[in-house]
Amino acid sequence: QQQVKQSPQSLIVQKGGISIINCAYENTAFDYFPWYQQFPGKGPALLIAIRPDVSEKKEGRFTISFNKSAKQFSLHIMDSQPGDSATYFCAASVSNTGKLIFGQGTTLQVKP
Amino acid sequence: SQTIHQWPATLVQPVGSPLSLECTVEGTSNPNLYWYRQAAGRGLQLLFYSVGIGQISSEVPQNLSASRPQDRQFILSSKKLLLSDSGFYLCAWSKGFGTGELFFGEGSRLTVL
C-alpha cells in the first residue's frame, strides 16, 4: 500500500514532442505528489508538485495531471527538448510524516 | 542559502570492509535528514530519517546504520559491507514535514567488490 508505481521505465521522444509519464498509488492518505528530475551523476531536484485539491498544475512546459478517484497522476512535458533528457521520479507522501515514497523512475531521452 | 554536502563522491570497497558516508547541511537549523539508496531501475529507497540529534528511524532492516551526532550532520555506516550494498547513496534534508520538499545532495557512489 506504500508503493508508487511508475511507467514507462524508459521513453524516447522527438524534439518538440510531448513526453508523458504516469504514476499510480494505493494509499489514500497520500496528500503530496511531487515530481523530481535527476541528471546523470547528480541528486534529484524538485521539478513540480501537486496536492489532491486540484486536478492540474502547470509550470512552464511541465504539467501535472491528477485523478484522485483513479489514484493516478501524470507528468506531461510539452515541446520536449534535448535538455529535458534525464530520469524523472514521481513520489508521494503524507505531508506530516516527511517520508517521500518514490516511483521506480523513467529515463527520458529527447532526440534532436 | 542552504547547501548540502556529501562525501566521498565515489568509493570502491571490498566485501567485509567498513563504511562511513558523511553528509552535512549548511544554512539552516534543525533540518530533517534522510538517507536514500538508488539502485539501477529500482527508484529511490528510503533507508533512514532523522528529526533531531540522536533520533534515527530505520525504514529498511539491513546491514547499514545511521547516526546524527550534530544538528546538521548525518552519517551512514556499516561494519561489514555486502555486495548488495553497492549503489548510489543520497542524503537529503527538509525543513520540517509540512511541504514534503526534499533537497538532495550530489550523492555517493559505492561499489562493493
Side-chain angles (χ1 to χ4, degrees):
Chain A
Q1 195 177 16
Q2 285 291 90
Q3 287 185 333
V4 177
K5 296 183 179 180
Q6 183 173 346
S7 63
Q9 186 174 356
S10 62
L11 183 60
I12 299 175
V13 173
Q14 292 293 327
K15 179 182 175 180
I18 302 173
S19 304
I20 302 175
I21 305 171
N22 301 299
C23 285
Y25 64 97
E26 290 293 326
N27 188 351
T28 55
F30 287 148
D31 60 359
Y32 176 70
F33 302 89
W35 285 88
Y36 279 76
Q37 180 188 54
Q38 182 183 32
F39 293 104
K42 302 294 184 182
L46 180 66
L47 185 63
I48 186 172
I50 197 168
R51 295 196 181 274
D53 52 345
V54 297
S55 60
E56 185 176 282
K57 183 174 181 180
K58 183 176 182 180
E59 291 185 0
R61 296 183 294 108
F62 300 90
T63 300
I64 299 179
S65 297
F66 185 80
N67 185 330
K68 188 174 182 178
S69 60
K71 292 184 284 187
Q72 295 175 346
F73 58 110
S74 60
L75 176 69
H76 295 235
I77 305 174
M78 311 299 289
D79 186 26
S80 299
Q81 299 296 312
D84 297 330
S85 298
T87 299
Y88 292 82
F89 292 96
C90 63
S93 75
V94 178
S95 57
N96 63 358
T97 67
K99 293 188 292 183
L100 272 178
I101 307 300
F102 284 86
Q104 295 86 345
T106 296
T107 302
L108 171 64
Q109 181 184 359
V110 181
K111 291 192 170 183
Chain B
S1 63
Q2 299 88 4
T3 57
I4 179 169
H5 303 281
Q6 274 186 252
W7 69 91
T10 305
L11 195 60
V12 180
Q13 292 285 94
V15 169
S17 64
L19 171 74
S20 181
L21 300 179
E22 192 163 338
C23 171
T24 59
V25 179
E26 296 177 357
T28 188
S29 59
N30 196 30
N32 296 324
L33 296 172
Y34 308 82
W35 278 111
Y36 280 85
R37 176 168 58 200
Q38 183 175 11
R42 296 183 62 183
L44 294 158
Q45 181 185 33
L46 178 61
L47 302 176
F48 301 95
Y49 71 97
S50 171
V51 301
I53 296 174
Q55 301 178 61
I56 309 294
S57 295
S58 174
E59 291 296 301
V60 181
Q62 63 213 321
N63 187 40
L64 302 169
S65 62
S67 61
R68 184 170 178 174
Q70 300 181 45
D71 180 47
R72 291 170 291 173
Q73 183 184 29
F74 207 22
I75 297 172
L76 184 69
S77 304
S78 174
K79 292 182 179 179
K80 289 185 178 181
L81 284 169
L82 305 172
L83 286 174
S84 57
D85 291 325
S86 293
F88 192 47
Y89 289 84
L90 289 154
C91 181
W93 73 274
S94 69
K95 189 59 178 176
F97 291 143
T99 66
E101 181 174 2
L102 296 183
F103 300 90
F104 284 89
E106 295 281 283
S108 298
R109 184 162 300 283
L110 170 66
T111 303
V112 182
L113 301 176

